[in-house]
């Protein structure tokens, strides 16, 4: 009996043992097929990407912006500046100010603030002064429950929550009560980075790299069925190996913003903005030379191991007055005086101003009053805080904000 048990146990150990034996060999073989530089990136530079766009879309305007100096966002240097409205950090007497696991936030037209958390996964609703109101959802797979990570979109009086773990959308009313859920016809491997819902069009928009369709923007009906996809992925210049696919999948996705039947797309990394019609026609491509967003890359440590470092990334695109706004975060390993950069482009794609903040802030919402909300990382404590700035301008010729 003992011999049989031992044989059974040894059979169970075979699979993980094989993984441990062949995984280093797999990585070794992958690395043999790429250049022997310390850093590897098959992502083309800006000039190469411009040539690709011009070849594929000869009639589409391509706007190239030279690098300009990023100035302090709080000081009025360019005619546009940020005014600090509030910063809410952890209060020992209030557990609802623990934002360590906060990932993103949205506001509605009544001023309520919704913050998504991960580990555990749920949403908290706050008033305009960030006073806690109620919890929404909890970890699980039932109605109104989440696995996460979560992405949110506010439309009218409803909050739409995309759950990457369950590949479904949960709908809550303005009081925070669960209404219904929508299962999406989406790939299990889809890693969604951009998300919106428009009630007039009755469509959801998601951004992720679909290897089968070879597209990056996908529209779904209000019942979750796929309508169509568009937006080509970032073309890599390597040999289509494993590392190329990792870079391609990461770099191709982007943040989305819908306004007046126009979809604005900000690529994750490298820096590239696109404007599409709702039908999927490419209308404009904006490039911007810069020193704060080097192309996504993989560090080769030795012949048996690699390291994928979190790259600088665009994390929000929106519109304010007659400007397209793109927000990017800069990690500590990039030598740049600011850790958050907010660029302002005119509607024809010209870079008007670049504002910087010393703190690393993941901005995720700009409301109709011009208030910019985000989640700030606090290096000293590794904690997070919720921040709000109001966008100000001394240019009296700016049209009335129509957010």
């Amino acid at each position: 009996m003992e011999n049989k048990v031992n044989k059974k146990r040894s059979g169970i150990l075979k699979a993980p043992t094989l993984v441990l034996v062949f995984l280093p060999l797999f990585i070794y073989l992958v690395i043999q097929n790429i250049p022997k530089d310390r850093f590897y990136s098959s992502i083309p530079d800006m000039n190469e990407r411009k040539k690709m766009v011009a070849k594929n879309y000869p009639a589409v305007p391509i706007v190239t912006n030279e690098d300009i100096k990023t100035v302090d966002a709080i000081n009025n240097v360019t005619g546009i500046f940020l005014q600090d409205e509030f910063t809410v950090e952890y209060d020992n007497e209030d557990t609802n100010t623990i934002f360590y696991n906060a990932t993103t936030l949205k506001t509605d037209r009544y001023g309520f603030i919704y913050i998504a958390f991960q580990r555990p996964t749920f949403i908290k609703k706050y008033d305009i002064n960030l006073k806690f109101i109620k919890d929404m959802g909890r970890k699980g797979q039932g109605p109104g429950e989440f696995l996460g990570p979560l992405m949110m979109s506010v439309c009218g009086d409803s909050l739409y929550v995309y759950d990457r773990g369950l590949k479904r959308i949960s709908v809550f009313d303005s009081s925070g009560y669960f209404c219904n859920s929508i299962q999406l016809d989406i790939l299990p491997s889809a890693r969604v980075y951009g998300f919106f819902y428009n009630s007039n069009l009755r469509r959801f928009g998601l951004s992720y790299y679909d290897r089968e369709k070879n597209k990056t923007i996908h529209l779904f009906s209000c019942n979750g069925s796929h309508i169509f996809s568009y937006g080509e992925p970032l073309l890599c210049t390597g040999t289509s190996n494993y590392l190329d696919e990792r870079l391609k999948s990461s770099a191709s996705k982007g943040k989305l913003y819908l306004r007046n039947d126009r979809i604005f797309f900000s690529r994750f990394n490298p820096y590239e903005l696109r404007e599409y019609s709702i039908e999927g026609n490419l209308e404009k491509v904006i490039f911007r030379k810069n020193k704060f967003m080097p192309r996504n890359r993989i560090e080769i440590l030795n012949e048996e191991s690699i390291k994928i470092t979190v790259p600088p990334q665009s994390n929000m695109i929106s519109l304010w007055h007659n400007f397209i706004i793109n927000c990017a975060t800069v990690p500590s390993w990039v030598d740049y005086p600011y850790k958050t950069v907010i660029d302002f482009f005119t509607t024809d794609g010209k870079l008007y101003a670049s504002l910087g903040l010393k703190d690393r802030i993941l901005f995720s919402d700009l409301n109709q009053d011009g208030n910019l909300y985000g989640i700030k990382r606090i290096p000293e404590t590794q904690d997070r805080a919720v921040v709000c700035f109001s966008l100000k301008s001394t240019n009296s010729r700016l049209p009335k904000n129509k957010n």
Side-chain angles (χ1 to χ4, degrees):
M1 179 65 70
E2 185 176 351
N3 291 336
K4 290 181 180 180
V5 172
N6 288 336
K7 287 180 181 180
K8 189 174 181 179
R9 288 177 179 171
S10 64
I12 295 174
L13 292 173
K14 283 182 181 179
T17 302
L18 288 174
V19 172
L20 292 174
V21 170
F22 286 104
L23 183 58
L25 177 61
F26 171 74
I27 297 176
Y28 174 79
L29 291 175
V30 167
I31 293 176
Q32 297 312 299
N33 294 321
I34 61 177
K36 298 301 185 292
D37 298 329
R38 179 184 174 191
F39 296 104
Y40 172 74
S41 179
S42 59
I43 296 176
D45 63 21
M46 188 182 74
N47 291 329
E48 292 174 314
R49 301 200 315 276
K50 285 170 55 181
K51 291 178 182 177
M52 292 177 186
V53 174
K55 180 180 178 181
N56 296 331
Y57 304 94
V60 172
I62 300 174
V63 184
T64 303
N65 293 279
E66 297 296 323
D67 192 17
I68 65 173
K69 183 179 180 181
T70 301
V71 299
D72 191 291
I74 305 301
N75 297 323
N76 183 12
V77 178
T78 64
I80 300 175
F81 61 98
L82 299 185
Q83 179 174 298
D84 191 354
E85 295 294 335
F86 66 73
T87 298
V88 178
E89 298 183 14
Y90 172 56
D91 183 348
N92 291 327
E93 298 180 358
D94 186 357
T95 58
N96 291 302
T97 61
I98 300 176
F99 301 117
Y100 177 76
N101 291 326
T103 56
T104 187
L105 63 81
K106 288 292 179 183
T107 61
D108 64 18
R109 58 184 175 181
Y110 304 107
F112 294 119
I113 302 171
Y114 305 89
I115 303 179
F117 294 81
Q118 182 68 12
R119 297 188 302 273
T121 305
F122 60 95
I123 295 171
K124 286 182 178 288
K125 180 181 179 181
Y126 299 82
D127 67 13
I128 195 170
N129 298 311
L130 216 67
K131 298 297 182 182
F132 174 73
I133 298 177
K134 67 179 300 183
D135 289 326
M136 300 167 57
R138 62 182 181 182
K139 184 177 180 179
Q141 301 184 45
E145 296 178 339
F146 311 114
L147 285 185
L150 306 179
M151 306 188 72
M152 299 183 291
S153 177
V154 174
C155 190
D157 290 341
S158 298
L159 175 70
Y160 298 83
V161 184
Y162 172 73
D163 188 328
R164 200 167 78 185
L166 296 174
K167 301 295 185 290
R168 75 180 182 190
I169 295 169
S170 296
V171 185
F172 296 83
D173 63 19
S174 59
S175 298
Y177 294 102
F178 172 73
C179 299
N180 64 289
S181 61
I182 303 164
Q183 192 69 48
L184 294 184
D185 179 19
I186 191 173
L187 287 175
S189 59
R191 297 180 64 84
V192 175
Y193 190 64
F195 170 63
F196 71 79
Y197 175 69
N198 183 270
S199 58
N200 294 327
L201 300 172
R202 295 177 62 79
R203 291 180 180 179
F204 295 100
L206 293 89
S207 173
Y208 59 91
Y209 171 51
D210 188 319
R211 186 174 182 180
E212 295 178 2
K213 296 182 176 65
N214 202 36
K215 300 297 180 183
T216 59
I217 301 174
H218 314 273
L219 297 186
F220 294 81
S221 68
C222 57
N223 64 7
S225 59
H226 177 258
I227 301 175
F228 66 95
S229 301
Y230 54 89
E232 73 277 6
L234 197 64
L235 299 177
C236 292
T237 58
T239 56
S240 298
N241 57 43
Y242 169 74
L243 297 186
D244 287 327
E245 288 301 316
R246 288 292 299 267
L247 288 169
K248 186 176 182 179
S249 176
S250 173
S252 294
K253 60 192 177 184
K255 288 297 184 181
L256 298 173
Y257 181 76
L258 177 68
R259 167 78 73 82
N260 297 333
D261 296 343
R262 287 289 183 272
I263 294 178
F264 296 88
F265 172 81
S266 175
R267 202 177 291 283
F268 176 82
N269 177 297
Y271 204 117
E272 181 182 322
L273 310 182
R274 294 189 172 208
E275 181 181 340
Y276 293 91
S277 68
I278 194 64
E279 294 81 15
N281 299 316
L282 183 61
E283 304 285 344
K284 187 189 293 95
V285 180
I286 303 172
F287 292 100
R288 185 242 203 271
K289 293 182 180 179
N290 66 84
K291 297 177 182 177
F292 57 83
M293 190 181 287
R295 287 170 289 168
N296 198 352
R297 66 189 184 182
I298 293 175
E299 183 178 356
I300 303 172
L301 301 177
N302 51 55
E303 292 186 350
E304 296 182 354
S305 59
I306 60 177
K307 178 182 179 182
I308 301 177
T309 306
V310 176
Q313 57 191 265
S314 295
N315 53 65
M316 193 193 83
I317 185 169
S318 189
L319 267 66
W320 178 70
H321 290 304
N322 59 339
F323 292 111
I324 303 169
I325 298 178
N326 191 61
C327 300
T329 53
V330 185
S332 57
W333 61 267
V334 177
D335 185 17
Y336 201 70
Y338 299 101
K339 295 308 172 188
T340 303
V341 177
I342 309 168
D343 285 337
F344 294 78
F345 297 86
T346 60
T347 52
D348 59 359
K350 298 296 184 182
L351 181 58
Y352 178 83
S354 181
L355 305 185
L357 292 165
K358 299 290 186 180
D359 297 311
R360 189 163 184 250
I361 302 173
L362 277 73
F363 285 114
S364 53
D365 191 69
L366 176 63
N367 71 6
Q368 59 187 359
D369 297 320
N371 292 324
L372 189 60
Y373 294 85
I375 297 171
K376 181 177 76 172
R377 297 174 185 263
I378 305 173
E380 298 81 9
T381 61
Q382 299 301 312
D383 205 345
R384 298 182 183 184
V386 176
V387 299
C388 175
F389 297 89
S390 57
L391 285 169
K392 302 292 183 180
S393 174
T394 56
N395 187 346
S396 60
R397 294 182 297 174
L398 286 177
K400 185 178 179 180
N401 189 20
K402 298 180 182 180
N403 271 7

